Amino acid sequence: MGVLEESLVQQLLDTSASYKRDVMEDRIRDLLGAEPFKDITGLPPRRGKTDGGIDGILYTSIYCDTVELGDKTALNIKVRKSDFTREQLGGFLLDMDREGINVGLIITAAYLSPDAKAEFNRKNAQGNVRLFHIRLSEILSSRNLPNIFINGKDVFSVLSENIRELITS
């Protein structure tokens, strides 16, 4: 990605942990138009925002290899300096399985760790679930975004319109 986009993400990462967790992760979810995920099947009430599970639900159309995938997508947002770990991916996949969701979108400030990347690729190759990863800098630059459509609009258009609306209101 470009220097500007990476610099903007770095400035965000220099904020407090509570700001990243309580403000930015919620704001990203809202900008995507995702619903908060509160009703967990078969588990006690959610233990707070740091439990690593599903952060929101999007109703999407995703085109992968000319095949349209499901309309319910689990969302996991991590605005942290550290890479998304294999353990975090495993927790996310378990939550998706429990909820019967087979499409997941992970949005991070950092990267997938090497172990998480290997598991991510393995799960996608198996074909039972489809996972997507987008870094914040990719959203800012509008490059390398997957073919995800929310209410018939590509993910970048949805974000652009919602950011514009946020700024003007």
Side-chain angles (χ1 to χ4, degrees):
M1 295 304 101
V3 174
L4 175 62
E5 292 87 358
E6 292 294 343
S7 175
L8 289 170
V9 171
Q10 186 57 50
Q11 287 180 25
L12 173 61
L13 290 174
D14 290 339
T15 62
S16 71
S18 61
Y19 179 78
K20 290 181 280 204
R21 182 186 64 241
D22 299 334
V23 177
M24 286 312 302
E25 290 179 4
D26 282 349
R27 189 163 289 154
I28 292 166
R29 186 192 66 230
D30 292 343
L31 288 172
L32 286 168
E35 298 174 1
F37 187 68
K38 296 178 182 172
D39 299 323
I40 298 171
T41 304
L43 290 179
R46 196 167 172 156
R47 295 164 300 283
K49 295 184 179 193
T50 59
D51 71 353
I54 297 172
D55 297 318
I57 298 293
L58 282 168
Y59 295 94
T60 62
S61 298
I62 298 175
Y63 298 94
C64 182
D65 301 327
T66 68
V67 175
E68 183 176 356
L69 303 174
D71 66 340
K72 194 173 187 183
T73 299
L75 181 63
N76 190 303
I77 304 168
K78 294 290 180 273
V79 181
R80 314 268 161 65
K81 288 182 182 181
S82 58
D83 288 344
F84 193 83
T85 66
R86 183 178 61 88
E87 291 79 10
Q88 289 171 320
L89 178 62
F92 185 51
L93 286 165
L94 283 173
D95 287 355
M96 287 173 55
D97 180 59
R98 184 190 60 242
E99 300 300 328
I101 301 171
N102 61 3
V103 179
L105 174 60
I106 301 166
I107 297 177
T108 64
Y111 295 88
L112 298 176
S113 72
D115 289 350
K117 182 72 172 168
E119 286 300 311
F120 180 93
N121 291 337
R122 186 178 71 80
K123 283 299 197 181
N124 279 336
Q126 288 176 341
N128 298 329
V129 298
R130 184 68 180 146
L131 299 169
F132 297 90
H133 175 240
I134 303 174
R135 292 187 61 235
L136 291 177
S137 59
E138 292 171 333
I139 291 172
L140 292 171
S141 70
S142 75
R143 286 189 243 156
N144 300 326
L145 297 177
N147 290 324
I148 298 175
F149 295 85
I150 302 167
N151 296 324
K153 297 178 185 173
D154 67 88
V155 68
F156 183 74
S157 296
V158 169
L159 288 167
S160 297
E161 288 174 16
N162 288 341
I163 289 170
R164 194 176 309 114
E165 185 177 311
L166 178 69
I167 290 170
T168 59
S169 65

